Amino acid sequence: MRKAAKKSPRSRTKAKTKTKTKTSKPPAEPSTTANGSEAPLQTGQLRIRMYRVGFGDFFLMTIPSAKDPSHMLHIVIDCGVTGGTTGKGDIGTIKEAVADMVAETGGELALIIMTHRHMDHIIGFSRCPEFQDFKGKVGAIWMPVWENEADAGISKFQNEMFALASELHASLALAADTVPDGRTILAMLQNAIGVAGAGRGGGSNAASLALLKNGLGVRPSYYCKGSPAELPQSLVDAGLTAEILGPPPADASQFMSLMDLRKGVGQYLDTAGNAGGGSSASGGNKQREHVLPFRKSWKVTPQDYPKDAFEEWEHRPLEGPKKPGYVEWKHLKQAVDAAQPAALMSAAKKVDNHLNNQSLVVLFTYGGKKLLFAGDAQAGNWEYWLYDAPERTTTPSDKLGKQASNVLGHLDFYKVGHHGSTNATPIAAVNAMNAGFVAMCSTQADTFGSVKNQGEVPRIPLIASLASKSALVRSDQIPVQTGAHEIVPVAHGTPPSLPRPKAGTLVRGPCYVDYLL
């Protein structure tokens, strides 16, 4: 193991980084291409490696050092996975992928980027103990401004959002199969809180955040659109530059309405349990069967109201001649209960959307090549920089701002946003993209959504549109060998041949695919 490079102290975002990260040699073993031929890695190439972990992001970008081109500098962008609604999203390969990354990097990283705090982007940092060995061997850590705990407003909001998601998750856990869309809601909440022990091998979002913020010997830098991106000096010397396109700053107008997640949604949810007791966290009734709409202090009986208060909710005689019998009106409780699943879904979506819109969106440039990593950015994040507007655009169009047109019209690589979901990569952005770039989509079919409701992930029309412009690779089409004879199957049967990019080479490895350029 190489001795860790000496690093000068950093302040938060504005301190100049002087880290001189030492590097490791790339592996001598060749990787296998789609047609079975071998393509050994070439010294001096930039490489983007997408690991197949299931439904989650784990990328490793490598560039040659300026001091010694035979040595490489490494950047990790996210490391996570989630089982999703179906439980099929976690294919059990993240530990093998991390072991490969450790061997590849020699235990040293120039930069770690955490795009946002969803489980499918960060659980690997605590699930895989190898990350603890990187202490003192990481040049810099980047996070979105929404992780800056020094900002009291941001810290308060994140804590309240986590608390709401945790309460909803605990209340719904025993009743997911009895609530419409219950499994979908539960999966969204689990991704938000990163339940300890979830999936295969443990870990939690809280433990991952603690490690990244306090456990690796380097103070994170927190970024939003417009922040000057300060790369470690070793990466600057190597010729890499970076521009932060998202997220919007914490005071951006489109997010101000979300600063109280309970308002409009959460206050209608009794997340403390049923009428028989409080939350399990406080020692109350743990056998919750459903989520009630009001807290105990607001619960009353029919006797607390005048008799005529419920006349619209009771049996009434039919009026008019020749109309014997009664018409049955819904009882008040039935009406309220019917509205409950919609409120649950709304609350879960609000948490999910806000976390995704916190995503760091980074544009790297190396040797004139533009590489866009969009995290899980959704509409609010994209629109903030697509239209050069200080406020959210209410009528998005194909007429993009100057910056967006310049970025999207000259891409060489695109990390497909949000695993190919329909709520990321806006149509206007796809239309503005040039032809001939390489796109990588880290995803796992049959994890979230369905074709029937036009919410399948990855979204088929989006993937088709991107594939018409780019050499697109999906991670769930990469076969993985996890043992001497065990092969993780790919989506849709036989793995397809890798596309031929306009520039560079795509190479398939044992648990990843590389783009060499």
Side-chain angles (χ1 to χ4, degrees):
M1 190 70 70
R2 292 182 176 82
K3 186 178 179 181
K6 185 177 181 180
K7 295 182 281 295
S8 58
R10 289 172 54 97
S11 61
R12 273 188 295 120
T13 299
K14 295 192 175 182
K16 182 75 174 178
T17 303
K18 297 295 184 182
T19 305
K20 297 184 182 294
T21 305
K22 289 190 176 182
T23 55
S24 59
K25 291 184 179 181
E29 296 85 357
S31 298
T32 304
T33 60
N35 59 14
S37 62
E38 292 184 347
L41 300 177
Q42 300 297 315
T43 298
Q45 287 182 308
L46 179 146
R47 181 186 64 203
I48 299 171
R49 174 168 292 182
M50 174 175 65
Y51 286 103
R52 185 185 176 197
V53 295
F55 197 94
D57 272 12
F58 183 20
F59 286 83
L60 177 67
M61 187 165 79
T62 300
I63 63 173
S65 168
K67 291 186 176 181
D68 182 355
S70 68
H71 286 178
M72 310 301 281
L73 304 169
H74 304 283
I75 300 172
V76 162
I77 304 171
D78 289 332
C79 182
V81 66
T82 187
T85 303
T86 64
K88 299 178 181 178
D90 187 346
I91 62 173
T93 61
I94 194 167
K95 292 186 176 181
E96 286 84 353
V98 169
D100 178 89
M101 181 275 295
V102 172
E104 183 66 24
T105 63
E108 296 183 3
L109 295 170
L111 175 63
I112 293 176
I113 296 177
M114 186 201 90
T115 61
H116 64 296
R117 61 163 64 189
H118 261 143
M119 178 179 179
D120 58 331
H121 290 255
I122 67 170
I123 195 73
F125 292 109
S126 58
R127 179 171 296 179
C128 304
E130 294 94 330
F131 277 108
Q132 298 176 17
D133 296 332
F134 280 91
K135 184 175 182 179
K137 302 170 187 176
V138 177
I141 297 173
W142 288 5
M143 295 184 178
V145 70
W146 291 88
E147 292 298 335
N148 186 359
E149 295 176 356
D151 186 307
I154 289 175
S155 183
K156 179 176 182 292
F157 174 75
Q158 294 284 55
N159 289 338
E160 289 179 351
M161 180 169 56
F162 180 83
L164 174 61
S166 298
E167 290 170 6
L168 290 172
H169 181 274
S171 296
L172 187 62
L174 298 178
D177 291 328
T178 65
V179 173
D181 297 317
R183 286 293 164 189
T184 298
I185 298 170
L186 198 63
M188 294 167 67
L189 295 169
Q190 184 182 51
N191 201 24
I193 64 177
V195 181
R200 304 185 186 189
S204 72
N205 284 5
S208 293
L209 288 168
L211 176 72
L212 292 170
K213 290 184 177 184
N214 303 302
L216 294 178
V218 58
R219 194 175 187 180
S221 295
Y222 304 103
Y223 291 112
C224 62
K225 177 175 166 43
S227 301
E230 298 185 7
L231 290 161
Q233 193 61 45
S234 58
L235 294 175
V236 173
D237 293 341
L240 187 71
T241 63
E243 183 178 1
I244 309 298
L245 301 179
D251 60 354
S253 61
Q254 65 264 42
F255 290 115
M256 293 303 291
S257 62
L258 298 178
M259 293 309 287
D260 182 358
L261 281 174
R262 290 185 181 275
K263 187 175 182 180
V265 176
Q267 80 272 33
Y268 297 121
L269 303 172
D270 180 2
T271 56
N274 61 35
S279 67
S280 59
S282 60
N285 183 3
K286 298 182 180 180
Q287 300 302 315
R288 303 185 186 94
E289 294 181 353
H290 57 281
V291 182
L292 296 177
F294 301 108
R295 293 194 180 277
K296 188 174 182 179
S297 60
W298 292 93
K299 294 168 186 171
V300 295
T301 67
Q303 286 70 36
D304 294 303
Y305 294 88
K307 186 176 181 180
D308 60 357
F310 298 102
E311 63 179 2
E312 295 297 327
W313 304 88
E314 297 176 347
H315 298 292
R316 306 180 75 188
L318 290 171
E319 298 178 357
K322 299 182 180 180
K323 291 185 178 179
Y326 292 83
V327 61
E328 185 173 339
W329 296 76
K330 286 184 178 180
H331 291 290
L332 180 59
K333 180 182 183 301
Q334 291 175 320
V336 173
D337 285 350
Q340 179 72 3
L344 279 169
M345 178 63 83
S346 181
K349 281 186 175 180
K350 217 167 191 181
V351 171
D352 189 66
N353 292 346
H354 196 284
L355 285 177
N356 285 332
N357 272 326
Q358 292 179 12
S359 289
L360 269 179
V361 179
V362 183
L363 176 70
F364 288 109
T365 303
Y366 179 79
K369 306 295 185 182
K370 294 185 180 296
L371 321 166
L372 180 60
F373 288 82
D376 278 5
Q378 293 181 195
N381 191 320
W382 278 92
E383 290 171 14
Y384 195 79
W385 66 274
L386 283 182
Y387 300 98
D388 294 341
E391 297 184 0
R392 182 172 182 175
T393 302
T394 56
T395 57
S397 68
D398 283 341
K399 188 177 181 180
L400 305 184
K402 182 177 180 181
Q403 179 189 43
S405 297
N406 182 56
V407 170
L408 298 173
H410 301 87
L411 284 178
D412 295 282
F413 172 84
Y414 173 51
K415 197 290 293 188
V416 179
H418 201 191
H419 318 283
S421 173
T422 187
N423 56 11
T425 317
I427 293 174
V430 178
N431 291 340
M433 291 176 177
N434 56 281
F437 61 95
V438 166
M440 287 184 170
C441 183
S442 56
T443 195
Q444 182 69 24
D446 195 23
T447 299
F448 285 100
S450 68
V451 175
K452 182 178 180 180
N453 64 17
Q454 298 184 335
E456 76 279 6
V457 183
R459 181 80 171 111
I460 294 172
L462 171 62
I463 294 299
S465 182
L466 286 170
S468 70
K469 286 192 167 188
S470 69
L472 184 141
V473 183
R474 289 171 47 166
S475 63
D476 59 359
Q477 294 176 336
I478 304 169
V480 180
Q481 183 171 345
T482 60
H485 303 289
E486 182 183 2
I487 301 291
V488 175
V490 300
H492 312 303
T494 305
S497 297
L498 293 174
R500 295 183 179 276
K502 182 179 179 180
T505 307
L506 286 166
V507 180
R508 185 176 286 146
C511 60
Y512 56 78
V513 64
D514 285 341
Y515 179 38
L516 310 172
L517 70 161

